[in-house]
Amino acid sequence: MTPLPLPPVAAPYQLPFHYGALHNIGLDYLVGPDPVREVLAKHHPALTAADFDGECLVSLNYQLYFAQYQFGGGITQEIEINIVAYPTAAARRIPQVSYQQYAQGYDQTKLLGIARIHVLCDNALAIDAGRTLYAEPKYPGWFEVEMPSLNGPDGDTWNIHCHAAEATADGGIARRDAELFSFNAQLSQLTSVPANNTPITGYGTDSTGVALAGPMNVYQPYRWYDLSGPASGRSQLTVHDPACDVGQDLVRLIRDKPAAGAWTFQSPPVAAHNRPYYLA
């Protein structure tokens, strides 16, 4: 069998793309398989939805990240709506794991990856890079967020609101008032476990129908929270516009199912400007 060439890296992009800082929360939903399989087949025909004891896994993934470039720095926010899936041709290599085991990184084949269904982003350059390099279904959105911070009050609560936006003729993004969906997670007083679950394999399908995979490494463990049992109800997803494309898919895939787990990562600080003192 002839080896496949690597996908091209179009100018002006370079790979790998290095994150200077990353703040990230994901919510996982175990849901009925039929809608998941239908949506996945529409977007990624070469993939099969992973099976976790008869259910499929839909994941919401919010990221706030910083990158440093030759000309300065840039901050980007985005949300991915993903289905956990694997290449159908590799079905015999897929390990049998429970959701809890998958979330904690037991699958080291990395064939269980995130098949992107929607990616909303507030940075036009990142939108173009995601589409061009990784075949992501990426389009404009903007965000209002509250998250844990060393520069804020104590606590571990995340509130993420996603609003509609449009690309502008000058290459920017214009905000719209409409709120599409929001979610929150109240993780204070819950015990997390370290999850060595990277590299995370992200799947895309380009305009010609060719599937590709792009791994992402995070260099420290995630913190994973089991939201089943007594912790159930610590998170909530609200679809504010069920008529839009992402709203239709969220309603169809998740409906009123509670989250099964949450996972977070926040880059550690690299410096601190300390409290001043008086010179007598």
Side-chain angles (χ1 to χ4, degrees), residues 57-150:
L57 188 59
V58 176
S59 184
L60 276 61
N61 174 8
Y62 166 78
Q63 301 177 30
L64 164 67
Y65 55 89
F66 167 79
Q68 181 260 327
Y69 305 96
Q70 184 181 26
F71 55 80
I75 297 174
T76 300
Q77 297 181 85
E78 62 183 65
I79 290 180
E80 300 176 342
I81 290 87
N82 302 311
I83 293 171
V84 175
Y86 59 86
T88 304
R92 294 185 63 184
R93 295 178 54 202
I94 302 302
Q96 185 176 358
V97 292
S98 67
Y99 160 68
Q100 289 80 3
Q101 291 170 331
Y102 162 77
Q104 295 178 66
Y106 281 39
D107 168 34
Q108 287 299 306
T109 71
K110 298 307 173 183
L111 291 170
L112 293 177
I114 52 173
R116 298 180 177 97
I117 306 302
H118 296 274
V119 184
L120 295 102
C121 179
D122 67 357
N123 183 312
L125 183 64
I127 292 172
D128 182 71
R131 291 174 175 173
T132 302
L133 299 173
Y134 298 108
E136 297 181 23
K138 203 165 191 174
Y139 54 95
W142 68 279
F143 308 91
E144 293 180 298
V145 303
E146 299 174 34
M147 67 179 70
S149 171
L150 292 175

Side-chain angles (χ1 to χ4, degrees), residues 217-239:
N217 282 301
V218 177
Y219 297 138
Q220 298 290 330
Y222 275 83
R223 298 165 64 188
W224 179 71
Y225 300 81
D226 186 347
L227 296 185
S228 64
S232 180
R234 286 293 194 109
S235 69
Q236 183 176 5
L237 168 67
T238 303
V239 177

Side-chain angles (χ1 to χ4, degrees), residues 29-34 36-37 49-58 84 97-100 257-258 260:
Y29 295 85
L30 289 167
V31 299
D34 290 342
V36 171
R37 291 168 180 163
D51 183 286
F52 298 97
D53 299 318
E55 295 182 295
C56 293
L57 188 59
V58 176
V84 175
V97 292
S98 67
Y99 160 68
Q100 289 80 3
K257 291 280 286 189

Side-chain angles (χ1 to χ4, degrees), residues 153-267:
D154 291 339
D156 197 1
T157 297
W158 300 70
N159 290 298
I160 312 296
H161 298 261
C162 179
H163 298 263
E166 295 178 359
T168 60
D170 61 357
I173 290 177
R175 295 181 173 188
R176 300 293 178 247
D177 292 334
E179 186 170 5
L180 303 179
F181 63 94
S182 62
F183 63 86
N184 67 69
Q186 300 176 24
L187 305 177
S188 299
Q189 301 178 333
L190 294 181
T191 301
S192 66
V193 296
N196 179 27
N197 59 352
T198 65
I200 298 169
T201 302
Y203 290 118
T205 301
D206 69 18
S207 59
T208 68
V210 176
L212 70 160
M216 175 179 170
N217 282 301
V218 177
Y219 297 138
Q220 298 290 330
Y222 275 83
R223 298 165 64 188
W224 179 71
Y225 300 81
D226 186 347
L227 296 185
S228 64
S232 180
R234 286 293 194 109
S235 69
Q236 183 176 5
L237 168 67
T238 303
V239 177
H240 300 279
D241 185 358
C244 68
D245 288 346
V246 65
Q248 290 182 46
D249 280 339
L250 287 173
V251 170
R252 187 179 184 191
L253 295 171
I254 298 174
R255 294 188 180 273
D256 56 356
K257 291 280 286 189
W263 37 277
T264 67
F265 179 87
Q266 292 194 271
S267 292

